[in-house]
Amino acid sequence: MSDMIEKKTNEEQNISTVNAISYLGKLMDDALLEIDLEHYITDANPAAKRLLGDNLIGSFLNKRINYKDLKDELKTSIKENKIIEFTSTPTNNKYHQLRGRLMPINAQKVAVLLMDMTLQHNLEKMRRDFIANVSHELRSPLTSVIGFIETIQNTTNIDEKNLKRFLQIMEDESKRMSRLIDDLLSLSRVEADEHIAPTGKVCIKSVLESVISTFNDRATKSGHLIELIDNRNDLLEQPIIRGEVDEITEVFHNLLDNALKYSFLKSSVKIKITDTITREIIVDITNKGEGIEEKHIERLTERFYRVDKGRSRQMGGTGLGLAIVKHIVNKHRGHLHITSEPKKHTNFRVVIPKSNSLLSNLENDN
Ligand SMILES: Nc1ncnc2c1ncn2[C@@H]1O[C@H](COP(=O)(O)OP(=O)(O)OP(=O)(O)O)[C@@H](O)[C@H]1O
Ligand SMILES: [Mg+2]
């Protein structure tokens, strides 16, 4: 009897060992495989199939990942009965980053754990790039200010005209640094609470009218005409969305600023409001100018991305305007669409649900 129990236990143990990878591996988000000394894959969990592609069992691991020392490391792992760590990329996706571990099961088989580190890797890269960008953007105006301070200090009998010119440049550069810091703070604020849907009510048309009024002087100087067109189905209804008035103002302020900045002199900028039967408000801001080539469009909302860095910087831009717009629009459960025909029209479309839309009602009920 006790023999039988012993035998059964052994059998159970065998079954659980045999099924461990494909069966228990279902619980894991990381890829788990079993291979032999020739890298032949004998078992794999679903995550491994998602990561390395179909028909895994019966194929060779060294054809699925780029890891040239695999053969030697397999032997070492078995011989020294130790876990070996490595990094690699899958052969079917060179942009993925993997961290792997080899662990001997017995004299013939090795378990391989593959962790997809792409997200962490990309986040780390984004963080590094961001710090490098911020430092660079702050350093250039700061260098200029320090340079002029030194010039003033080291020049005896500096004439008033030059002094005024230097001070003007120093003022412009200092304001640029201050704008950059304001934009960074604004971006981090909206990023932090992007998941919280706004609760206030905002009349889009009033916001647009007030934003336009702040640009009127500038438009008159550059000979631009700003037109507001209300093309909604029911003009008696107020175009109200669920939102934060300061944030919505910032969206249209940035978009109108761009429309004026990047359009031909004396051209007109059109702002059109429409609505849809799915109860969304659409605002199109269209300007006529050099436009944006297709390849740049999807990157425009990245922080610090500018098509022509020199030109935008000369105009006092920080390259954060559209990143802020995108995050605020996302927070308002809306969408931003950008289309452009170089040398012709560029259109920035903001779509936001109305405050009494189905979506907003549902959120309100909860
Ligand atoms: N209406 C437009 N027409 C052509 N290019 C545009 C337009 N709007 C934006 N761009 C391009 O997109 C880039 C990113 O715009 P964004 O508003 O984020 O930065 P910016 O205007 O350079 O600086 P700021 O932070 O002051 O807004 C601009 O540098 C410009 O190259
Ligand atoms: Mg801008």
Side-chain angles (χ1 to χ4, degrees), residues 171-221:
E171 185 185 347
D172 290 347
E173 295 291 311
S174 309
K175 282 187 175 159
R176 197 147 80 87
M177 282 193 284
S178 163
R179 223 171 19 243
L180 177 67
I181 290 164
D182 287 346
D183 282 354
L184 283 170
L185 288 175
S186 187
L187 188 60
S188 75
R189 223 179 3 250
V190 61
E191 265 184 330
D193 59 14
E194 194 172 325
H195 61 289
I196 307 167
T199 50
K201 290 193 173 182
V202 178
C203 173
I204 283 267
K205 195 168 176 180
S206 313
V207 168
L208 288 171
E209 283 164 349
S210 113
V211 171
I212 292 170
S213 70
T214 64
F215 280 99
N216 270 339
D217 277 356
R218 182 171 142 193
T220 314
K221 275 186 199 140

Side-chain angles (χ1 to χ4, degrees), residues 237-250:
E237 186 193 49
Q238 293 269 13
I240 308 277
I241 58 150
R242 185 75 64 83
E244 300 298 338
V245 72
D246 292 348
E247 292 180 352
I248 292 296
T249 304
E250 193 163 3

Side-chain angles (χ1 to χ4, degrees), residues 179 183 254-255 257-263 285 287 289-292 300-302 304-309 312-313 315-324 340 346-348:
R179 223 171 19 243
D183 282 354
N254 286 348
L255 293 178
D257 177 50
N258 282 351
L260 290 169
K261 211 158 57 165
Y262 302 111
S263 63
I285 299 189
N287 73 277
E290 290 299 328
I292 311 156
L300 287 185
T301 54
E302 286 175 20
F304 299 114
Y305 191 85
R306 284 160 287 192
V307 174
D308 182 341
K309 237 182 184 157
S312 157
R313 226 189 243 146
M315 292 170 150
T318 62
L320 291 173
L322 289 179
I324 295 172
S340 182
T346 296
N347 184 57
F348 282 77

Side-chain angles (χ1 to χ4, degrees), residues 7-24 43:
K7 193 162 175 253
K8 201 168 171 206
T9 315
N10 279 344
E11 260 173 26
E12 272 172 0
Q13 266 173 359
N14 279 340
I15 289 165
S16 58
T17 312
V18 166
N19 288 343
I21 288 186
S22 51
Y23 186 71
L24 293 179
D43 205 356

